[in-house]
Structure formats: C-alpha cells, structure tokens
Amino acid sequence: MSTFPVQTPQRTYCATVERGILERASAHLPAGTGKVFVVSTEDVWRHQGARLRRGLESFRHELLFLPGGEDQKRLAPLEILAGEMVRRGGDRSSLVIAFGGGVVNDMGGFLASIFMRGVPVIQAPTTLLAQVDAAIGGKTGVNLVEGKNLVGTFHQPLAVLIDPAALDTLPEREYRAGLFEVIKTGVIRSQPLFRMLADQSEQVLARAPEAVDYLIGESVRIKAEVVSADEREGGLRRILNFGHTIGHALEAETGYRRFLHGEAVAFGMRAAVYLAESTGYLSAEDSVDILEVIERYGPVPPLEGIAAEALLRRLTSDKKTVQGRIHFVLPVRIGEVTVVSGLDERLVLAAIWSALG
Ligand code: GLY
C-alpha cells in the first residue's frame, strides 16, 4: 500500500494506492455519513461493481448511473441525478462515491459539489487515466459545445481510493489511453518514470502487477505533490496540461466522440514536442525519445479529415487561453517543462500539421 497526502487550502486528504482497497471502502467513510450515493456507469458497475458492493458492507447506499462517454459529459444528466438523489432521501449528510473513469470522477465530483450546496465526495477511479490524474486534485466539471470542462468547480474529495486490480477488466484501448497520461507525467516531472516506460514496455503493456503498481504510484505521488503546491492552477499545476491545450482542441473539434482523452493528449504532446524542438527549448535527442515512447504505446486512432486551421481556432476558446494568449507547456528535457505563451500562430499551425502526420 502507498499513501500520498494531498494538502490543499480546501482540504487535506490521502490518495491511497492499494490492491483490494475497493473491498475495504467503508473504512474510508466518516462517522455520521448519511445516505451514500454511488455514481457510476452501467458498464463499470457490471465489471467492477461487486468489489465496491462488498466494500460498502452494511452502509446504506443507492446506485445512480451516468450515461458514460466524453460526449455525454454535460450538465443535463446531472440535473436528472440530483433530482433522483432528492427522491431517494439524499440530504446534507449524504456522500457521493464517484466510481468509474475520468468522466464519472469529473461529473460525480461536480454533482457532489452542487448538491444541497455541497456534500462530500470520495473518488474511486477505475480506469488508468482516472487513477493517475482525473480523480486527484479536486477538478470537477462538464463540457460545453464550445469547449471542454468549461463549467465546473474545485471540490477536493475526502479520499481517493485507487485499486490497481480494477484495471484487470479495462479494455486495451482505455488502458493505452491512460498510459499516455503516465507518459505525460514522466516527461513533466519524472525521468525514472519515463525511462521505465521506455525500457519496460512489454511488462507495462502486459499489465504486470509490479510495473502497473510502480507507474500508478509514481504518477499519483507527482500529482499529489503538484496539487499540494498549487490547488487552483495559478502556477505549478499548469505543467499538468502538457499535451492538453491542443488535445482539448482535438476533442472539441471531433465532438468528444472520436478520441479518448488520453489519445487526444498523445496528439497534443506530439505537437508540443514539435513546438519545443523548433523553438530551441528541447534537444533533438530528447524529442526523438519522447516521440518514440508515445509511438510505442499507440496507436492513436486515424486523424483523417481534421483541419489544422480548425484546431488552431479552437485553441483560442480553451479556458487555458487567458486574455487571448495561448499557453503551451513545453518540455525542456525529460523530467522538466516550462510554460510559454505568445508563440507565433504560424509555428503553432506547423506543430499541428506535424502532429496530424
Ligand atoms: N488534469 C490536470 C489537473 O488536474 O490539473
């Protein structure tokens, strides 16, 4: 078991990585908790629900399903679920367990933050992407047609329960999409993690428990450290957006249906590496290393029919664009990044072209 404290002005809590933790979930519910609402999807519940059901033992809990899928990450399903919570006896003593992938963690957290002006949430992520990133740090929200995560809150969970065994039933494509977020973490802050991904890809792709536990633990350690230093993304937390600026544009442009979030991040990282190398921030050698590791954990679905100019236009409506200035997180070496803004649009377009292949 590894436990990583997340210390924010809003709350201090632990992200715990432990095989079997879902079956001991009730140990993490505070005394006096009223009705527990498990927010999940039918798919996650079918594959992993039995573990959490055992973990909640005698706690009275209600199950609520979200539709699932990034294109369903909208406000409307939350109104329906909130009404359902009221009808099933939810009150201010209620607690939400967000049990699923990144979409469920973001939406379940958002629902908890607005239900009766806020009830606690426990994050129980079941995809690799959610375990290493989405479930930690308190960001919640939904998409608008205009862009990703444009409506949301910061609502830190009471605890994050990360069970690597939950990945056993994760589809291969989802697993690989999560690995792109792990590559991101290595590039921004952990050379050892990056090297492990480069040198042990067979074990990683075979989901060897030792490899999986290491890469989750190291990613969670880094996420906890970054969020503890900067809860509201005023500074350091921006480094977590490596690959996200252009990745978000790709997701929005394709209606959130064609690419998984991690795949879009892989695309965005390719573009950012191009930008970093062509502006002289990154050596050609490190650039090749990063691109090779991204390639190894691919493929990213085909990119035909996507216009670079359309993605460029999308960048300006991303919430990471402040007063018209687009910020890019660029690697300077493996394990270190910098944030730059004011890059020439023609260069950004060339980077997008290069990532489109
Ligand atoms: N997923 C990026 C962040 O939590 O800041």
Side-chain angles (χ1 to χ4, degrees), residues 133 136 139 223 233 237 240-241 244:
D133 188 52
I136 309 153
K139 281 188 179 176
K223 178 93 195 228
E233 205 174 301
R237 190 166 180 170
L240 299 173
N241 295 326
H244 283 58

Side-chain angles (χ1 to χ4, degrees), residues 30-73:
T33 296
K35 191 160 271 188
V36 173
F37 290 92
V38 177
V39 174
S40 191
T41 64
E42 287 184 16
D43 193 41
V44 168
W45 193 253
R46 193 175 327 113
H47 290 105
Q48 294 294 329
R51 289 175 196 264
L52 186 60
R53 208 175 27 234
R54 280 196 291 277
L56 289 176
E57 292 166 350
S58 55
F59 262 88
R60 281 184 308 143
H61 60 276
E62 299 279 335
L63 192 53
L64 299 172
F65 290 130
L66 285 166
E70 190 72 41
D71 59 328
Q72 304 288 332
K73 195 175 145 185

